Every structure is written in C-alpha cells, then in structure tokens.
C-alpha cells in the first residue's frame, strides 16, 4: 500500500534581494538624487525645487530613514563620468549606507541606456533599489528592468534629438557670422551689451605684451616663465603659465578682429567627445567681426616668425641663441656645457647638427668668451664707421624702395590698354552699323 506524499511549504523569511527578514521592522535607509543639465536661472530653480521636495518627501515617511540628497548641478546626463554627486551616491550605496534611492525620472538618472542598466544592475546585486517616481518603476520589481530599458532608450533618443537641434542652431549662428567666445577663459575680451566681444583694456595689455615679447625673440616658454614670475594670472585665473597657453594666444585670429568658426565639433552626443575639424564639417571665417587687440600686420608677422622657427631649437635664455649659423650645413649653433660637474666646467658653442649628418660639420666650436669678444669688436667697428654705415643703409633703403622702373612700366601698360580699349570700342560700333567679316 502506497503512502500519500505530503509536501510542506516553508515560507521564505528573507527578502530575495536585500537578505533582510521579511517581517523586519527596520527602517529603510533612503536617499534621493536630483540633477539639472544646464546652469541657467530657470533650471537652477527646478534644481532647488527637487532638493526641497525630496527632502520633505523622504522625511514624511515613517518607515524611511533619511540619508542625504545627492546632487549634480549644471551637468549633462548623457554619461556618468563627470557626475561627482552621482558617483558618490553609488559608492555610498555599495558601502551599505543606502537601501533605496528615489529620483524624479529615468531621464534625470541618465539618458544613456547602457549607463542606466549597468548602474541599476550593480545596485540590484547588493539589494539596493531605485525608485523612479514619474514612471512608478521599482528596480527590484520583476518588470522593472524591462520598463527601465524602454524608458532609458526613449530618454537616449530624446537626448540625441536635443543634441542634433543644438548642433543645428550652433551651425546656423556660425553661418550667420555670429561670434561667441568662452569669456571666462579668454584673455582680453568680455561680452558686450550687443553680444559682440568688447575689449578689456587691462587684459589687452597682457596680450600685446605677449606678442611684443615673441617678436623680440622670446620663446613661448620664455614668455610663460616671464609672466609667471610677474604673477600675472592666466586666462583661467591660474598662477602658472604654460607654453600651450602662450601659443594659443599667439595663433588665435580673434585677436586681430577676425573669427574662424567651428574649429572643432562633437563626434558623439553620448560621450561629448570633441574632435578638431579637419574638413569633416564646414568652417566659417568672419572678417572684422569685432574690435582687434592686435593689428593684422603684427599678427601676420607672428605667424611668419612661427614658420621661421620651425625645425630648429629656439631658446630665449641667451642673446646669441639662433644668431650664429654653421658655415657647413646652415644650422644654428647652440650652447653646450663641458665638464659640468668638475672644476674644468665651461660653456662652448657648436653646430647643433654637427654629429647628425653623415659627415660631421668641419666648423669648430667656440667659447662664449670668444663670441662676446667678436660681438664687441664688430659693434665697435660699426661705431667707428657709423657715418659710412648709416650712408650705406640709406642707399640700400633708397635702392629697395625705388619704384621708378615699376611706375614707368605701369604707365606704358596703361597706354597700351587705353589704345586696345579704343580699338575694341571702334570695332564694336562698326559692327553695329554694317556687316563686317567676323573671321578677320
């Protein structure tokens, strides 16, 4: 005789996700996350409202224990890399300080589907729940992940649409020639009442100094060191100047009153990664878009000087740098230190490319003392014969600026053009009055 099988159900006593007793009366540790993506006044009021609302909301629940309000102000949500408040909240949650996170909506949490799901799953593994109030989604619910995937995808597409509209608006402004500068980090200009950049004279003096020092022979590194020593703040308000900052000022066409627009563009709206525009999207060059700090002539001289200095080591530490030329290869002499750590230490100058060619240059090295003596001797020679030197210079200037032959040639060409014009006019009149052989 078979005995009937008996099955006894033993109810679960622990929560599947949190591992806490189901009948436990312990309060849940609850925090909220609030974010706005821009820093304009309207959004900031929304941000303050979110913080106030969730503080009151959590504290009103007797079964909840208020932890904190984690916030990110004026930061986009397309990825979580730069959101310090968000990252701090996730860390605290994983450290056991939070049981439940309350936020306004999926789009407030993140507009990147991958980031949303990755974060939610990471928290879910530790039994931490996220509640999206607008969509009424609890992530520990069986339907939670499916709904989050759908809502996150919609939010991501919304972000794509916003990005494309913003990009279109920017390019339309570029095409219209409207110039806007990053004024907080741009030396010499501030936003004018009409939206056009206007000069800040105190800062403009620094810009002019940088251009003058460069044309006087200083290197970008030498100028940076000089400004740092003078305790002049950088465009970003820092104390130490860098060569890259000096170079960007010396090569930026906006200082001569023009503007090249769309120098870079955003490659991916999710990562916000920017790339230098190398022809992938249109650029727009606006001449005389605003008042210039540097004259076009001075700006062009600086660009020419940059080209001239390419391919050679330039130093502003010594007055003889880039002044002595090798008679064999045409490269510049540079200073070298011999016996730097003993009593025979001395500075010599030799061709920078002496040992770089197949055959080393035959030019000898010279000491700094020899250079100084030669320089003084040459200067004294010029002083002794200054009348002749001045006379020669004047004759050279007259020779180079004499345009008599060019003017004579121009007059001759104008005469020939006048004769040709009259002949053509006469032929046209004849052709209009009577039939003429067109071949001849």
């Amino acid at each position: 005789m078979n005995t009937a099988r008996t099955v006894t159900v033993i109810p679960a006593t622990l929560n599947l996700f949190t591992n806490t007793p189901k009948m436990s009366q312990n309060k849940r540790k609850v925090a909220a996350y609030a974010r706005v993506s821009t820093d304009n006044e309207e959004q900031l009021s929304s941000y303050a409202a979110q913080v106030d609302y969730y503080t009151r909301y959590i504290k009103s629940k007797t079964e909840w224990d208020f932890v904190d309000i984690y916030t990110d102000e004026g930061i986009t949500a397309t990825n979580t890399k730069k959101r310090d408040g968000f990252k701090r909240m996730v860390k605290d949650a994983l450290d056991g300080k939070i049981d439940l996170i309350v936020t306004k909506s999926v789009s407030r949490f993140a507009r990147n589907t991958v980031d949303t799901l990755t974060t939610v799953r990471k928290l879910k593994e530790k039994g931490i729940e996220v509640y999206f109030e607008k969509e009424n989604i609890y992530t520990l619910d069986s339907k939670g992940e499916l709904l989050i995937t759908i809502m996150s995808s919609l939010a991501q597409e919304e972000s794509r649409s916003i990005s494309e509209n913003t990009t279109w608006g920017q390019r339309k402004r570029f095409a219209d020639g409207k110039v806007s500068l990053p004024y907080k980090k741009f030396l010499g200009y501030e936003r004018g009442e009409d939206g056009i950049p206007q000069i800040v004279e105190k800062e403009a003096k620094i810009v002019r100094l940088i251009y003058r020092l460069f044309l006087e022979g200083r290197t970008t590194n030498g100028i940076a060191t000089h400004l740092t020593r003078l305790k002049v703040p950088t465009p970003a308000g820092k104390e130490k100047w860098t060569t890259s900052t000096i170079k960007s000022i010396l090569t930026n066409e906006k200082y001569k009153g023009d503007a090249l627009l769309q120098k870079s563009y955003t490659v991916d709206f999710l990562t916000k990664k920017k790339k230098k525009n190398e022809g992938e999207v249109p650029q727009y060059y606006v001449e005389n878009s605003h008042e210039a700090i540097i004259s076009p002539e001075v700006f062009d001289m600086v660009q020419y000087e940059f080209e001239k200095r390419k391919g050679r080591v330039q130093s502003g530490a010594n007055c003889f740098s880039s002044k002595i030329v090798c008679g064999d290869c045409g490269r510049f002499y540079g200073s070298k230190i011999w016996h730097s750590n003993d009593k025979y230490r001395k500075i010599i100058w030799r061709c920078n490319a002496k040992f770089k060619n197949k055959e080393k240059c035959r030019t000898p090295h010279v000491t700094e003392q020899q250079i100084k003596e030669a320089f003084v001797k040459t200067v004294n020679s010029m002083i002794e014969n200054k009348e002749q030197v001045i006379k020669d210079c004047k004759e050279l200037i007259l020779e180079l600026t004499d345009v008599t032959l060019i003017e004579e040639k121009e007059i001759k060409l104008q005469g020939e053009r006048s004769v040709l014009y009259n002949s053509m006019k006469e032929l046209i009149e004849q052709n209009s009055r009577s039939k003429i052989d067109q071949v001849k």
Side-chain angles (χ1 to χ4, degrees):
M1 181 179 176
N2 294 331
T3 306
R5 182 180 295 174
T6 304
V7 178
T8 303
V9 178
I10 303 173
T13 59
L14 297 177
N15 186 292
L16 178 63
F17 297 104
T18 63
N19 280 332
T20 56
K22 284 197 169 186
M23 301 305 291
S24 174
Q25 297 299 312
N26 292 339
K27 289 185 176 183
R28 297 184 77 181
K29 294 172 285 187
V30 183
Y33 178 68
R35 178 193 62 79
V36 292
S37 57
T38 61
D39 54 5
N40 61 48
E41 190 174 338
E42 183 180 345
Q43 288 281 52
L44 288 177
S45 62
S46 167
Y47 167 82
Q50 286 184 61
V51 172
D52 180 65
Y53 169 75
Y54 283 114
T55 302
R56 293 172 180 271
Y57 177 68
I58 294 172
K59 288 183 176 181
S60 68
K61 302 282 187 179
T62 56
E63 67 275 21
W64 287 357
D65 189 10
F66 177 76
V67 177
D68 199 358
I69 303 292
Y70 295 85
T71 60
D72 283 310
E73 182 180 337
I75 297 176
T76 179
T78 47
N79 68 66
T80 58
K81 289 182 181 178
K82 296 181 181 179
R83 295 162 63 192
D84 295 333
F86 183 89
K87 289 188 284 188
R88 187 167 60 87
M89 175 186 70
V90 172
K91 183 180 183 302
D92 286 352
L94 296 176
D95 289 343
K97 298 177 182 178
I98 303 169
D99 297 324
L100 172 64
I101 297 169
V102 180
T103 190
K104 184 177 180 181
S105 66
V106 174
S107 64
R108 293 294 89 190
F109 199 70
R111 284 181 176 161
N112 181 327
T113 307
V114 175
D115 277 346
T116 302
L117 292 177
T118 301
T119 305
V120 165
R121 286 171 182 168
K122 191 188 296 183
L123 295 171
K124 190 175 180 180
E125 287 175 4
K126 297 289 184 178
I128 301 153
E129 190 167 33
V130 182
Y131 173 53
F132 300 101
E133 186 182 23
K134 182 179 177 182
E135 294 84 4
N136 194 29
I137 298 174
Y138 285 90
T139 56
L140 297 186
D141 187 274
S142 58
K143 306 185 294 295
E145 187 160 321
L146 173 62
L147 292 171
I148 290 170
T149 304
I150 295 170
M151 299 308 297
S152 294
S153 298
L154 291 173
Q156 183 169 310
E157 285 306 306
E158 180 191 358
S159 183
R160 184 196 302 276
S161 176
I162 291 170
S163 177
E164 288 175 353
N165 290 338
T166 302
T167 300
W168 181 89
Q170 287 177 340
R171 290 180 182 172
K172 179 66 171 65
R173 288 195 295 274
F174 291 157
D176 293 341
K178 294 180 180 178
V179 179
S180 180
L181 304 178
Y183 295 105
K184 290 182 180 179
K185 295 183 179 181
F186 203 93
L187 194 68
Y189 288 103
E190 64 181 3
R191 182 181 176 84
E193 293 181 1
D194 52 1
I196 298 175
Q198 68 178 25
I199 294 175
V200 179
E201 191 54 41
K202 183 180 178 182
E203 296 177 1
K205 289 179 181 178
I206 301 168
V207 175
R208 296 187 190 105
L209 174 64
I210 291 170
Y211 275 75
R212 180 171 62 79
L213 291 174
F214 186 76
L215 290 176
E216 287 177 356
R218 293 282 188 100
T219 62
T220 51
N221 183 56
I223 297 170
T225 303
H226 179 69
L227 294 177
T228 302
R229 193 183 301 120
L230 292 177
K231 296 184 178 180
V232 176
T234 69
K238 297 180 180 179
E239 294 181 357
K240 187 175 181 180
W241 287 76
T242 62
T243 55
S244 59
T245 302
I246 299 297
K247 186 176 180 181
S248 69
I249 290 173
L250 290 170
T251 56
N252 198 320
E253 76 292 336
K254 292 181 178 67
Y255 286 112
K256 67 170 181 173
D258 295 350
L260 177 62
L261 306 179
Q262 200 154 246
K263 294 179 180 178
S264 62
Y265 68 100
T266 302
V267 179
D268 185 356
F269 80 98
L270 288 176
T271 62
K272 300 298 180 186
K273 182 180 178 181
K274 282 187 171 289
K275 180 185 179 298
K276 182 181 178 182
N277 185 3
E278 298 176 314
E280 295 88 346
V281 293
Q283 289 186 316
Y284 307 90
Y285 194 89
V286 186
E287 294 184 29
N288 303 316
S289 62
H290 54 280
E291 189 179 357
I293 292 176
I294 301 299
S295 71
E297 293 78 17
V298 171
F299 183 85
D300 292 341
M301 286 170 65
V302 167
Q303 309 321 303
Y304 173 76
E305 184 66 19
F306 266 117
E307 287 296 319
K308 196 171 77 170
R309 294 186 190 184
K310 274 185 180 178
R312 60 182 170 92
V313 178
Q314 177 78 11
S315 172
N318 193 292
C319 61
F320 298 116
S321 298
S322 304
K323 300 293 189 300
I324 307 169
V325 181
C326 174
D328 269 1
C329 68
R331 298 287 291 275
F332 286 95
Y333 264 50
S335 63
K336 309 290 184 290
I337 300 176
W338 282 1
H339 302 283
S340 60
N341 296 320
D342 58 43
K343 65 180 181 178
Y344 300 106
R345 184 182 189 277
K346 70 174 179 178
I347 299 173
I348 63 100
W349 289 68
R350 73 164 184 240
C351 176
N352 287 323
K354 188 176 183 70
F355 300 106
K356 292 182 180 179
N357 302 319
K358 291 182 180 179
E359 294 183 9
K360 69 177 185 179
C361 298
R362 293 167 295 173
T363 50
H365 71 266
V366 290
T367 66
E368 190 156 309
Q369 185 61 33
Q370 288 174 317
I371 296 172
K372 290 177 180 177
E373 288 174 358
F375 177 77
V376 171
K377 184 179 178 181
T378 304
V379 171
N380 288 337
S381 173
M382 291 180 68
I383 292 172
E384 289 173 2
N385 302 288
K386 66 178 181 180
E387 289 81 7
Q388 185 62 43
V389 171
I390 293 171
K391 182 182 177 184
D392 291 344
C393 286
K394 287 182 177 179
E395 288 179 358
L396 186 60
I397 292 170
L398 287 172
E399 185 69 28
L400 292 173
T401 57
D402 185 8
V403 293
T404 305
L405 292 176
I406 297 174
E407 289 175 347
E408 289 176 356
K409 189 175 181 180
E410 185 182 7
I411 292 169
K412 183 180 177 182
L413 288 172
Q414 284 179 348
E416 291 176 357
R417 184 179 65 180
S418 180
V419 171
L420 183 62
Y421 173 77
N422 291 332
S423 298
M424 186 172 64
K425 185 178 179 182
E426 185 178 342
L427 287 171
I428 291 171
E429 289 177 355
Q430 289 179 10
N431 195 38
S432 65
R433 290 195 300 268
S434 59
K435 185 178 180 181
I436 297 177
D437 188 345
Q438 303 298 317
V439 177
K440 294 181 180 180

